[in-house]
Amino acid sequence: MPERYVPKEAIGHGDGGSAALAIGEAESLERRPGAAPPGAGPPGPLGKPRSLWSDAWHDLCRNPVFVLSALVIVFLVVIAIWPQLIATGNPYRADLAKAQQGSQPGHPFGFDTQGRDVYTRVVYGARASITVGVCATAGAALLGSLLGGLAGFFGSWSDTLLSRLADIFFGIPVLLGGLVFLSVVTGTTVWPVVGFIVLLGWPQISRIARGSVVTAKQNDYVQAARALGAGNGRMLLRHIAPNAVAPVIVVATIALGTYIALEATLSYLGAGLKPPTVSWGIDISTASTYIRSAPHMLLWPAGALSITVLAFIMLGDAVRDALDPKLR
């Protein structure tokens, strides 16, 4: 019998089509991201397409809001690590003869009620605020992403348990919870405040992570990987997590500024950081009584706090605009 010619376009539509489809899915899953398919020629004159992250970074670099806020944040991080670069004085040195005096040569922000240099204390106060914000955000993001991701992937009773547990923490007023928690767990470092913020901050991240994982695991490439025998760990780490982490990053970046403001609020109320720690919230609390006689004591630390919170919120908004395909 003469051999029958089978057009190339018909492969995969008759006998053996499912096997060819499975082989094609396996090759596409094992191929490196951005790599050309087998048999493909060199990239065209326009080059290979950018991934979501490279495309987002390209948009962020052209966004003046992101550039400005990033420069402010880098400056704040640098002075938080090395405050002596721009402030050579001692934030604890007091001279009662200069109490509440205004700006003087070498002391542009004036002095507080104990004669301490306000400029030096504002610079050194960035360390406590940045430390609390970064550590609390990292802890809440890791804990919330882990719990929310596992609950969204496995579902069933674990999802129900996490949802009810998150509802309990959502029902706790932040300020009232901070006053109660920090009155019991006291310390002279930033870690009790960080622990409290992580304790009340992870439910928000967990809900975002859970929703992202539930959406991502319904995509075709995840179903194909499951059909080809991929384990739960491989699907979570390789196929789901890279596509579900973007909303978590956006929420965590915006929340960082909120956590810095929360630390300052708790310190202002006397439940957060305690002296001798140098903090913007502590200085604002001390200066609030002398707002009429010495307004400079309040304006400078409050201004530094506002600029810091605004920078992180603007950064989060810019990252959200770059990572959200609906806003393109």
Side-chain angles (χ1 to χ4, degrees):
M1 179 182 294
E3 183 178 358
R4 186 174 60 178
Y5 172 73
V6 180
K8 183 178 180 181
E9 292 79 2
I11 296 177
H13 295 276
D15 294 337
S18 59
L21 177 60
I23 294 175
E25 290 287 351
E27 290 176 351
S28 63
L29 289 174
E30 295 297 333
R31 196 180 306 134
R32 297 192 313 270
L46 297 179
K48 59 183 180 181
R50 295 191 298 262
S51 64
L52 171 65
W53 298 102
S54 60
D55 192 32
W57 177 251
H58 182 264
D59 292 342
L60 288 174
C61 292
R62 297 186 301 172
N63 189 342
V65 174
F66 172 80
V67 174
L68 178 61
S69 58
L71 290 175
V72 173
I73 291 172
V74 169
F75 173 75
L76 291 170
V77 172
V78 170
I79 67 171
I81 300 175
W82 300 289
Q84 61 275 12
L85 291 177
I86 60 173
T88 57
N90 187 343
Y92 302 104
R93 182 179 179 181
D95 186 358
L96 293 177
K98 299 180 180 179
Q100 301 185 29
Q101 292 185 8
S103 176
Q104 297 180 6
H107 306 279
F109 294 176
F111 300 88
D112 64 3
T113 56
Q114 299 184 26
R116 297 172 299 190
D117 185 24
V118 175
Y119 170 77
T120 304
R121 293 186 63 83
V122 168
V123 173
Y124 275 82
R127 173 176 295 178
S129 297
I130 297 297
T131 301
V132 169
V134 171
C135 293
T137 302
L142 290 176
L143 181 60
S145 299
L146 179 62
L147 296 179
L150 293 177
F153 182 78
F154 292 105
S156 186
W157 63 268
S158 60
D159 190 10
T160 303
L161 179 62
L162 177 74
S163 299
R164 301 293 76 78
L165 184 62
D167 290 339
I168 294 175
F169 281 95
F170 274 121
I172 300 176
V174 177
L175 291 181
L176 180 59
L179 293 174
V180 174
F181 178 85
L182 295 175
S183 64
V184 177
V185 183
T186 59
T188 58
T189 63
V190 300
W191 303 118
V193 180
V194 171
F196 164 73
I197 296 177
V198 172
L199 185 64
L200 291 188
W202 71 265
Q204 180 186 17
I205 304 294
S206 69
R207 286 195 170 182
I208 299 297
R210 175 192 173 277
S212 299
V213 170
V214 169
T215 302
K217 76 175 184 179
Q218 297 174 356
N219 292 328
D220 294 337
Y221 59 86
V222 177
Q223 301 301 325
R226 186 188 300 274
L228 292 171
N232 292 333
R234 178 183 177 87
M235 287 190 294
L236 270 172
L237 297 178
R238 183 167 182 177
H239 301 298
I240 295 180
N243 297 280
V245 72
V248 175
I249 293 177
V250 173
V251 174
T253 305
I254 298 176
L256 200 156
T258 305
Y259 294 159
I260 292 177
L262 177 59
E263 176 273 320
T265 303
L266 292 173
S267 298
Y268 176 84
L269 297 174
L273 301 179
K274 306 289 193 304
T277 303
V278 181
S279 168
W280 292 333
I282 295 176
D283 288 350
I284 292 173
S285 177
T286 304
S288 60
T289 308
Y290 306 93
I291 181 62
R292 293 185 177 181
S293 59
H296 64 276
M297 293 171 47
L298 176 65
L299 295 179
W300 292 114
L305 176 64
S306 300
I307 291 174
T308 303
V309 174
L310 180 62
F312 279 105
I313 293 178
M314 291 172 57
L315 182 73
D317 288 340
V319 173
R320 180 198 59 193
D321 295 342
L323 291 179
D324 191 352
K326 298 179 182 178
L327 299 178
R328 293 182 181 276

